[in-house]
Amino acid sequence: MMMDFGQKARVERQLREMWKGNVISMTAAIITVVVVLVSLLSAAVNPLTGVMGGLAVVGILAIVGGLVALVGGIIYLVALYGLREVLPDYRTAFLISIGNVIASLVVELLASGSLLASLMDWVSSVLSLLVMWYVLRATGVILADLGREDVIQRGRTTWRLNVAATVGGMVSNLIPVGAGLGGLSVVLVFLLLLAVAGSFWYIGYLGYLGCAADAVRDSV
């Protein structure tokens, strides 16, 4: 596609805003990992006071992580809204993002651990994948015109890692944790590995958006 100066400037600006939103979201992911680690330490403490203190820390970190994730998500959504007129795929990604926000709110309102809550959580995961797909495809069209096949390839890698992490998360939710310590250990190890995969995905995605913005800026 051929873009004029104004369109290129808008794409470069909004991609950088998406990058900022994802930096904040990555911070929230790190906080979530800390929450998991604190939870494990709390469970390993025998005295009741130690457990209660650990639970208090977990609660505070969970609230902070949720607020940070909310801020990052809003910044990302606003940036995606700003790109909706550039390419149809950006508009589709924005509309799916709205649907994902609604699905996430429904999950919060449902009873934790219920079948419907699990189903809606899966729906939210699939919607997140679709948003990623349309953003990568739309940005790939722009990068193809700029001859940045290297960045496009980075986007493909990002997509594969994201699919693997999402599928892994869905599978982990199916593993029963009440079957005994052995089953619980397997789940915890799997979740830790999944967190590592998610971190690589974030790094790849952030690098992808940063390089995409650089490529567009250099062409202006």
Side-chain angles (χ1 to χ4, degrees):
M1 61 171 293
M2 297 297 295
M3 294 189 299
D4 57 29
F5 178 87
Q7 287 178 316
K8 288 182 178 181
R10 177 191 295 183
V11 170
E12 191 269 338
R13 182 173 61 253
Q14 298 303 334
L15 283 178
R16 290 203 176 280
E17 288 300 310
M18 292 170 70
W19 181 85
K20 292 177 183 178
N22 276 275
V23 168
I24 297 175
S25 296
M26 183 172 64
T27 303
I30 293 174
I31 294 175
T32 300
V33 172
V34 172
V35 169
V36 173
L37 293 177
V38 172
S39 300
L40 293 177
L41 291 175
S42 299
V45 175
N46 290 324
L48 181 60
T49 55
V51 174
M52 296 304 294
L55 291 177
V57 173
V58 169
I60 294 174
L61 290 177
I63 293 175
V64 173
L67 292 176
V68 172
L70 179 62
V71 172
I74 291 175
I75 293 176
Y76 182 88
L77 192 60
V78 171
L80 195 55
Y81 176 80
L83 288 172
R84 73 193 189 285
E85 300 299 333
V86 177
L87 282 172
D89 280 346
Y90 282 131
R91 186 184 304 112
T92 301
F94 173 74
L95 294 176
I96 296 176
S97 294
I98 297 298
N100 192 22
V101 170
I102 296 174
S104 298
L105 290 176
V106 171
V107 171
E108 294 298 325
L109 295 175
L110 294 174
S112 178
S114 66
L115 178 61
L116 185 56
S118 298
L119 179 60
M120 291 304 299
D121 190 46
W122 287 359
V123 170
S124 179
S125 297
V126 172
L127 291 178
S128 296
L129 272 178
L130 288 175
V131 172
M132 167 70 73
W133 168 254
Y134 281 108
V135 169
L136 289 174
R137 191 167 73 168
T139 310
V141 171
I142 297 173
L143 292 172
D145 286 342
L146 301 176
R148 294 303 302 269
E149 180 61 33
D150 57 326
V151 186
I152 294 176
Q153 181 58 45
R154 182 174 298 187
R156 296 191 186 104
T157 303
T158 299
W159 168 251
R160 296 187 189 102
L161 290 173
N162 186 53
V163 171
T166 301
V167 173
M170 291 180 174
V171 172
S172 68
N173 289 334
L174 297 176
I175 302 177
V177 297
L181 184 60
L184 179 60
S185 298
V186 171
V187 173
L188 293 177
V189 170
F190 188 85
L191 289 178
L192 287 175
L193 292 176
L194 184 61
V196 173
S199 297
F200 277 108
W201 167 68
Y202 272 118
I203 292 173
Y205 189 34
L206 293 177
Y208 170 81
L209 289 182
C211 290
D214 288 339
V216 176
R217 182 197 60 199
D218 293 341
S219 70
V220 175

mmCIF file of all heavy atoms in Angstrom, residues 1 138-149 152:
data_model
loop_
_atom_site.group_PDB
_atom_site.id
_atom_site.type_symbol
_atom_site.label_atom_id
_atom_site.label_comp_id
_atom_site.label_asym_id
_atom_site.label_seq_id
_atom_site.Cartn_x
_atom_site.Cartn_y
_atom_site.Cartn_z
ATOM 1 N N MET A 1 0.847 -1.186 0.000
ATOM 2 C CA MET A 1 0.000 0.000 0.000
ATOM 3 C C MET A 1 0.887 1.241 0.000
ATOM 4 O O MET A 1 1.985 1.236 0.535
ATOM 5 C CB MET A 1 -0.915 0.026 1.228
ATOM 6 C CG MET A 1 -0.179 0.054 2.567
ATOM 7 S SD MET A 1 -1.276 0.347 3.982
ATOM 8 C CE MET A 1 -1.801 2.033 3.670
ATOM 9 N N ALA A 138 -1.537 -6.603 9.487
ATOM 10 C CA ALA A 138 -1.639 -5.230 8.995
ATOM 11 C C ALA A 138 -0.270 -4.549 8.964
ATOM 12 O O ALA A 138 0.109 -3.928 7.968
ATOM 13 C CB ALA A 138 -2.600 -4.430 9.879
ATOM 14 N N THR A 139 0.482 -4.697 10.050
ATOM 15 C CA THR A 139 1.808 -4.080 10.097
ATOM 16 C C THR A 139 2.736 -4.733 9.081
ATOM 17 O O THR A 139 3.618 -4.075 8.517
ATOM 18 C CB THR A 139 2.398 -4.193 11.512
ATOM 19 O OG1 THR A 139 1.446 -3.732 12.468
ATOM 20 C CG2 THR A 139 3.663 -3.361 11.637
ATOM 21 N N GLY A 140 2.529 -6.020 8.830
ATOM 22 C CA GLY A 140 3.324 -6.721 7.828
ATOM 23 C C GLY A 140 3.125 -6.157 6.438
ATOM 24 O O GLY A 140 4.067 -6.099 5.635
ATOM 25 N N VAL A 141 1.906 -5.720 6.130
ATOM 26 C CA VAL A 141 1.632 -5.106 4.824
ATOM 27 C C VAL A 141 2.447 -3.828 4.664
ATOM 28 O O VAL A 141 3.045 -3.572 3.610
ATOM 29 C CB VAL A 141 0.122 -4.800 4.686
ATOM 30 C CG1 VAL A 141 -0.141 -3.955 3.437
ATOM 31 C CG2 VAL A 141 -0.678 -6.091 4.627
ATOM 32 N N ILE A 142 2.482 -3.034 5.723
ATOM 33 C CA ILE A 142 3.248 -1.786 5.680
ATOM 34 C C ILE A 142 4.742 -2.072 5.558
ATOM 35 O O ILE A 142 5.455 -1.446 4.764
ATOM 36 C CB ILE A 142 2.973 -0.957 6.953
ATOM 37 C CG1 ILE A 142 1.488 -0.567 7.008
ATOM 38 C CG2 ILE A 142 3.849 0.284 6.988
ATOM 39 C CD1 ILE A 142 1.082 0.106 8.299
ATOM 40 N N LEU A 143 5.212 -3.043 6.332
ATOM 41 C CA LEU A 143 6.640 -3.371 6.303
ATOM 42 C C LEU A 143 7.061 -3.967 4.966
ATOM 43 O O LEU A 143 8.201 -3.780 4.532
ATOM 44 C CB LEU A 143 6.957 -4.348 7.440
ATOM 45 C CG LEU A 143 6.832 -3.776 8.856
ATOM 46 C CD1 LEU A 143 6.979 -4.879 9.889
ATOM 47 C CD2 LEU A 143 7.866 -2.689 9.086
ATOM 48 N N ALA A 144 6.170 -4.689 4.306
ATOM 49 C CA ALA A 144 6.492 -5.262 2.997
ATOM 50 C C ALA A 144 6.779 -4.164 1.987
ATOM 51 O O ALA A 144 7.693 -4.285 1.161
ATOM 52 C CB ALA A 144 5.338 -6.152 2.516
ATOM 53 N N ASP A 145 6.012 -3.073 2.058
ATOM 54 C CA ASP A 145 6.251 -1.944 1.165
ATOM 55 C C ASP A 145 7.575 -1.256 1.466
ATOM 56 O O ASP A 145 8.168 -0.616 0.594
ATOM 57 C CB ASP A 145 5.113 -0.928 1.290
ATOM 58 C CG ASP A 145 3.835 -1.413 0.625
ATOM 59 O OD1 ASP A 145 3.932 -2.338 -0.206
ATOM 60 O OD2 ASP A 145 2.765 -0.896 0.949
ATOM 61 N N LEU A 146 8.033 -1.385 2.718
ATOM 62 C CA LEU A 146 9.296 -0.760 3.120
ATOM 63 C C LEU A 146 10.482 -1.690 2.927
ATOM 64 O O LEU A 146 11.618 -1.321 3.197
ATOM 65 C CB LEU A 146 9.219 -0.328 4.590
ATOM 66 C CG LEU A 146 8.100 0.662 4.941
ATOM 67 C CD1 LEU A 146 8.085 0.928 6.439
ATOM 68 C CD2 LEU A 146 8.282 1.969 4.174
ATOM 69 N N GLY A 147 10.202 -2.940 2.498
ATOM 70 C CA GLY A 147 11.276 -3.903 2.274
ATOM 71 C C GLY A 147 11.883 -4.450 3.550
ATOM 72 O O GLY A 147 13.031 -4.893 3.542
ATOM 73 N N ARG A 148 11.129 -4.446 4.663
ATOM 74 C CA ARG A 148 11.647 -4.909 5.939
ATOM 75 C C ARG A 148 11.204 -6.345 6.212
ATOM 76 O O ARG A 148 10.437 -6.624 7.125
ATOM 77 C CB ARG A 148 11.190 -3.982 7.056
ATOM 78 C CG ARG A 148 11.754 -2.590 6.973
ATOM 79 C CD ARG A 148 13.294 -2.588 6.965
ATOM 80 N NE ARG A 148 13.825 -3.239 8.151
ATOM 81 C CZ ARG A 148 14.114 -2.582 9.275
ATOM 82 N NH1 ARG A 148 13.946 -1.277 9.339
ATOM 83 N NH2 ARG A 148 14.609 -3.227 10.308
ATOM 84 N N GLU A 149 11.714 -7.272 5.414
ATOM 85 C CA GLU A 149 11.385 -8.684 5.586
ATOM 86 C C GLU A 149 11.916 -9.211 6.922
ATOM 87 O O GLU A 149 11.336 -10.132 7.503
ATOM 88 C CB GLU A 149 11.977 -9.495 4.433
ATOM 89 C CG GLU A 149 11.699 -10.990 4.491
ATOM 90 C CD GLU A 149 10.223 -11.312 4.442
ATOM 91 O OE1 GLU A 149 9.461 -10.580 3.778
ATOM 92 O OE2 GLU A 149 9.821 -12.332 5.066
ATOM 93 N N ILE A 152 9.308 -8.532 9.452
ATOM 94 C CA ILE A 152 8.161 -9.403 9.195
ATOM 95 C C ILE A 152 8.426 -10.792 9.747
ATOM 96 O O ILE A 152 7.549 -11.429 10.346
ATOM 97 C CB ILE A 152 7.864 -9.469 7.678
ATOM 98 C CG1 ILE A 152 7.407 -8.092 7.172
ATOM 99 C CG2 ILE A 152 6.796 -10.524 7.384
ATOM 100 C CD1 ILE A 152 7.198 -8.038 5.677
#
